[in-house]
Amino acid sequence: MSTRPTRVLTAGRSSAHTLDVPERGRALWAVALMALIGVLVQVSLLPYARVADGIADIVVSVVVAAALFRGSLVGAVTGFASGMLIELTAPIGTLGVLALLYLIVGSVCGRYCERAEATALLPPMVLIVAATAFVQLGYGSVQLLLGTSVFAVDFTARVLVPTLILSALLGPLVLVVARRLLGEPRVVEPFMMPR
């Protein structure tokens, strides 16, 4: 048995570079830890810090950060796992809806991983606000399909706008922590074979 770490080929912004398997595992554990802490904060603390009926969606920020720093696959898996954890721990009646919405957010935002804009602050903040709006509108649409009657003006004024503002305020903090834990943006494909 060889004690040397296996080298895995990953795609970077400018060229292909290698990443040690232990470093890759550490990066994925950091993403899993961020997602778990994000879910715990979302279901335990943030319901008490609401404005009108809006609650900051820190999980969207975590999913966007994981996708921006590690790519579409890691972002999609993080989104799905975070959504399922929220639905299993919080008393909501639709199992799988948030998981699907967060999966879409992680997959779409992960496409920006290899771009130079991933290291700036404004494009990720725009992604966080847009992803929060997508999740809120998607979940609201499902609730409408299930027969919950909500007026559009009330939903927008009491839920959507406060949620967007609170999520935008917490977004930079999550991005800074993700940058500190994950380092430079790079696509990580956990099962990619070396070339």
Side-chain angles (χ1 to χ4, degrees), residues 48-118:
Y48 299 107
R50 64 176 40 198
V51 173
D53 287 333
I55 300 172
D57 196 348
I58 198 166
V59 173
V60 166
S61 301
V62 170
V63 170
V64 169
L68 282 175
F69 289 113
R70 291 300 174 253
S72 289
L73 180 65
V74 174
V77 170
T78 303
F80 181 78
S82 299
M84 285 303 286
L85 280 174
I86 286 175
E87 291 175 330
L88 292 173
T89 56
I92 58 176
T94 54
L95 187 62
V97 173
L98 282 177
L100 177 64
L101 292 171
Y102 287 135
L103 180 138
I104 293 169
V105 165
S107 178
V108 170
C109 291
R111 306 226 181 258
Y112 290 95
C113 181
E114 294 183 9
R115 295 185 180 189
E117 294 92 18

Side-chain angles (χ1 to χ4, degrees), residues 100-147:
L100 177 64
L101 292 171
Y102 287 135
L103 180 138
I104 293 169
V105 165
S107 178
V108 170
C109 291
R111 306 226 181 258
Y112 290 95
C113 181
E114 294 183 9
R115 295 185 180 189
E117 294 92 18
T119 59
L121 183 63
L122 185 60
M125 286 305 303
V126 170
L127 284 175
I128 287 173
V129 171
T132 303
F134 171 75
V135 169
Q136 291 298 315
L137 291 173
Y139 192 74
S141 299
V142 169
Q143 292 301 318
L144 282 175
L145 290 173
L146 292 174

Side-chain angles (χ1 to χ4, degrees), residues 178-192:
R179 179 59 179 240
R180 179 71 89 178
L181 288 175
L182 302 176
E184 289 293 317
R186 64 175 168 262
V187 175
V188 174
E189 299 289 338
F191 303 109
M192 187 188 304

